[in-house]
Amino acid sequence: MEHEGLPAEQMQRLRSALTGPLGGVGDKLVWAGIVPTGSALAIVLTVYVSPVVGVAAFLVVYNLVHFALRVWGLAAGWNGGMHVAQKLGKPLIKKGMKVAGPMAALSLGLALPIVGDWLVRHVDAHELLGTGLVALVGILLARWLWPTLGANRYGLAVVAVALILGWL
Protein backbone atom coordinates (compact mmCIF):
# COMPACT_ATOMS: atom_id res chain seq x y z
CA MET A 1 0.00 0.00 0.00
CA GLU A 2 2.96 2.29 0.66
CA HIS A 3 4.27 1.44 -2.79
CA GLU A 4 0.90 2.47 -4.28
CA GLY A 5 1.04 5.78 -2.39
CA LEU A 6 -2.09 5.30 -0.24
CA PRO A 7 -2.64 7.68 2.69
CA ALA A 8 -1.23 6.62 6.08
CA GLU A 9 -4.70 6.80 7.72
CA GLN A 10 -6.13 4.31 5.22
CA MET A 11 -3.22 1.92 5.78
CA GLN A 12 -3.64 2.16 9.54
CA ARG A 13 -7.38 1.41 9.31
CA LEU A 14 -6.72 -1.66 7.17
CA ARG A 15 -3.93 -2.81 9.48
CA SER A 16 -6.24 -2.49 12.49
CA ALA A 17 -9.08 -4.29 10.71
CA LEU A 18 -6.88 -7.22 9.64
CA THR A 19 -5.05 -7.80 12.93
CA GLY A 20 -7.79 -10.03 14.37
CA PRO A 21 -8.49 -12.19 11.31
CA LEU A 22 -4.81 -12.66 10.45
CA GLY A 23 -4.00 -13.45 14.08
CA GLY A 24 -6.86 -15.95 14.22
CA VAL A 25 -5.62 -17.76 11.13
CA GLY A 26 -2.07 -17.83 12.45
CA ASP A 27 -3.12 -19.01 15.91
CA LYS A 28 -5.19 -21.86 14.55
CA LEU A 29 -2.58 -23.00 12.06
CA VAL A 30 0.50 -22.59 14.24
CA TRP A 31 -0.48 -22.88 17.91
CA ALA A 32 -3.35 -25.35 17.51
CA GLY A 33 -1.82 -27.37 14.67
CA ILE A 34 1.88 -27.15 13.97
CA VAL A 35 3.22 -26.74 17.52
CA PRO A 36 1.33 -29.74 19.00
CA THR A 37 2.07 -31.88 15.93
CA GLY A 38 5.74 -30.96 15.96
CA SER A 39 5.85 -31.59 19.71
CA ALA A 40 4.35 -35.05 19.27
CA LEU A 41 6.88 -35.84 16.55
CA ALA A 42 9.68 -34.59 18.81
CA ILE A 43 8.41 -36.72 21.71
CA VAL A 44 8.33 -39.90 19.62
CA LEU A 45 11.76 -39.25 18.13
CA THR A 46 13.15 -38.46 21.59
CA VAL A 47 11.91 -41.80 22.92
CA TYR A 48 12.99 -43.93 19.94
CA VAL A 49 16.07 -42.10 18.62
CA SER A 50 17.55 -39.42 20.90
CA PRO A 51 16.63 -36.11 22.54
CA VAL A 52 18.83 -34.21 20.10
CA VAL A 53 17.01 -35.68 17.10
CA GLY A 54 13.64 -34.93 18.73
CA VAL A 55 14.47 -31.29 19.37
CA ALA A 56 16.01 -30.87 15.91
CA ALA A 57 12.92 -32.38 14.26
CA PHE A 58 10.63 -30.01 16.15
CA LEU A 59 12.70 -26.99 15.21
CA VAL A 60 12.83 -28.02 11.54
CA VAL A 61 9.07 -28.68 11.28
CA TYR A 62 8.09 -25.53 13.16
CA ASN A 63 10.46 -23.23 11.33
CA LEU A 64 9.67 -24.60 7.86
CA VAL A 65 5.95 -24.05 8.32
CA HIS A 66 6.45 -20.73 10.10
CA PHE A 67 8.78 -19.47 7.36
CA ALA A 68 6.37 -20.65 4.63
CA LEU A 69 3.50 -18.79 6.32
CA ARG A 70 5.57 -15.62 6.55
CA VAL A 71 6.59 -15.84 2.89
CA TRP A 72 2.96 -16.44 1.91
CA GLY A 73 1.82 -13.51 4.05
CA LEU A 74 4.38 -11.16 2.57
CA ALA A 75 3.47 -12.22 -0.98
CA ALA A 76 -0.25 -11.90 -0.24
CA GLY A 77 0.22 -8.43 1.17
CA TRP A 78 2.50 -7.30 -1.64
CA ASN A 79 0.29 -8.65 -4.44
CA GLY A 80 -3.09 -8.02 -2.79
CA GLY A 81 -2.61 -4.51 -1.52
CA MET A 82 -5.95 -3.29 -0.17
CA HIS A 83 -7.55 -6.63 -1.13
CA VAL A 84 -5.26 -8.77 0.98
CA ALA A 85 -8.20 -10.00 3.07
CA GLN A 86 -9.48 -11.95 0.05
CA LYS A 87 -6.29 -14.05 0.18
CA LEU A 88 -7.50 -15.49 3.49
CA GLY A 89 -10.31 -17.20 1.62
CA LYS A 90 -7.92 -19.29 -0.48
CA PRO A 91 -8.67 -23.04 -0.43
CA LEU A 92 -5.19 -23.90 0.88
CA ILE A 93 -5.66 -21.78 4.01
CA LYS A 94 -9.18 -23.14 4.61
CA LYS A 95 -7.94 -26.73 4.25
CA GLY A 96 -5.01 -26.02 6.54
CA MET A 97 -7.32 -24.64 9.21
CA LYS A 98 -9.62 -27.67 8.94
CA VAL A 99 -6.72 -30.12 9.19
CA ALA A 100 -4.71 -28.36 11.94
CA GLY A 101 -6.78 -29.40 14.98
CA PRO A 102 -7.44 -33.03 14.05
CA MET A 103 -3.81 -33.46 12.96
CA ALA A 104 -2.61 -32.20 16.35
CA ALA A 105 -5.07 -34.39 18.24
CA LEU A 106 -4.12 -37.49 16.27
CA SER A 107 -0.38 -36.98 16.61
CA LEU A 108 -0.56 -36.25 20.35
CA GLY A 109 -2.93 -39.17 20.84
CA LEU A 110 -0.35 -41.43 19.23
CA ALA A 111 2.60 -39.91 21.12
CA LEU A 112 1.16 -39.98 24.66
CA PRO A 113 0.99 -43.78 25.05
CA ILE A 114 4.55 -44.05 23.72
CA VAL A 115 5.75 -41.56 26.32
CA GLY A 116 3.69 -43.19 29.07
CA ASP A 117 5.29 -46.55 28.32
CA TRP A 118 8.75 -44.97 28.21
CA LEU A 119 8.24 -43.21 31.54
CA VAL A 120 7.16 -46.33 33.44
CA ARG A 121 9.75 -48.76 32.03
CA HIS A 122 12.06 -48.41 35.03
CA VAL A 123 9.46 -47.73 37.69
CA ASP A 124 8.83 -50.39 40.30
CA ALA A 125 5.35 -51.39 41.47
CA HIS A 126 5.45 -49.27 44.66
CA GLU A 127 6.25 -46.08 42.74
CA LEU A 128 3.58 -46.84 40.15
CA LEU A 129 1.01 -47.52 42.88
CA GLY A 130 1.95 -44.28 44.69
CA THR A 131 1.61 -42.28 41.48
CA GLY A 132 -1.78 -43.84 40.82
CA LEU A 133 -2.97 -43.03 44.34
CA VAL A 134 -1.83 -39.42 44.06
CA ALA A 135 -3.67 -39.14 40.73
CA LEU A 136 -6.82 -40.75 42.18
CA VAL A 137 -6.82 -38.41 45.20
CA GLY A 138 -6.31 -35.47 42.84
CA ILE A 139 -9.26 -36.51 40.69
CA LEU A 140 -11.52 -37.01 43.73
CA LEU A 141 -10.51 -33.67 45.27
CA ALA A 142 -10.97 -31.92 41.94
CA ARG A 143 -14.51 -33.30 41.66
CA TRP A 144 -15.28 -32.25 45.23
CA LEU A 145 -13.51 -28.86 45.27
CA TRP A 146 -13.77 -28.04 41.56
CA PRO A 147 -14.01 -24.21 41.66
CA THR A 148 -11.22 -23.69 44.22
CA LEU A 149 -8.73 -26.50 43.58
CA GLY A 150 -6.47 -26.07 40.59
CA ALA A 151 -3.52 -28.07 39.35
CA ASN A 152 -1.02 -25.70 40.97
CA ARG A 153 -2.67 -25.87 44.40
CA TYR A 154 -2.98 -29.63 44.23
CA GLY A 155 0.64 -30.03 43.14
CA LEU A 156 1.86 -27.82 45.96
CA ALA A 157 -0.26 -29.75 48.47
CA VAL A 158 1.15 -33.09 47.26
CA VAL A 159 4.71 -31.78 47.55
CA ALA A 160 3.98 -30.42 51.05
CA VAL A 161 2.53 -33.74 52.22
CA ALA A 162 5.46 -35.64 50.70
CA LEU A 163 7.94 -33.37 52.47
CA ILE A 164 6.12 -33.66 55.81
CA LEU A 165 5.92 -37.45 55.56
CA GLY A 166 9.55 -37.59 54.48
CA TRP A 167 10.63 -35.63 57.57
CA LEU A 168 8.72 -37.87 60.01
Side-chain angles (χ1 to χ4, degrees):
M1 290 183 301
E2 289 174 0
H3 183 68
E4 295 173 2
L6 294 174
E9 306 84 41
Q10 190 176 5
M11 289 187 288
Q12 184 59 35
R13 281 194 310 269
L14 182 64
R15 186 178 297 131
S16 296
L18 289 178
T19 300
L22 289 174
V25 169
D27 286 350
K28 189 161 187 179
L29 286 174
V30 175
W31 296 109
I34 300 307
V35 170
T37 303
S39 298
L41 174 66
I43 287 169
V44 171
L45 289 174
T46 296
V47 168
Y48 286 124
V49 182
S50 79
V52 173
V53 172
V55 169
F58 173 79
L59 290 173
V60 167
V61 167
Y62 174 78
N63 285 312
L64 281 176
V65 173
H66 196 245
F67 184 72
L69 281 172
R70 286 187 178 266
V71 168
W72 171 83
L74 181 62
W78 187 264
N79 296 328
M82 289 294 292
H83 306 290
V84 68
Q86 294 172 349
K87 300 285 185 176
L88 290 177
K90 291 283 187 183
L92 180 65
I93 297 298
K94 286 182 180 181
K95 285 180 185 176
M97 289 177 62
K98 282 184 181 179
V99 171
M103 179 177 61
L106 175 67
S107 58
L108 285 172
L110 293 172
L112 287 177
I114 293 170
V115 171
D117 177 57
W118 178 69
L119 288 173
V120 298
R121 280 186 195 155
H122 303 290
V123 175
D124 66 10
H126 290 70
E127 292 169 336
L128 198 55
L129 180 63
T131 303
L133 286 174
V134 168
L136 179 63
V137 169
I139 291 169
L140 293 174
L141 284 175
R143 298 289 294 166
W144 181 47
L145 301 169
W146 180 253
T148 59
L149 180 70
N152 290 336
R153 287 183 181 167
Y154 178 68
L156 290 171
V158 168
V159 169
V161 168
L163 288 174
I164 290 168
L165 292 177
W167 287 336
L168 292 178

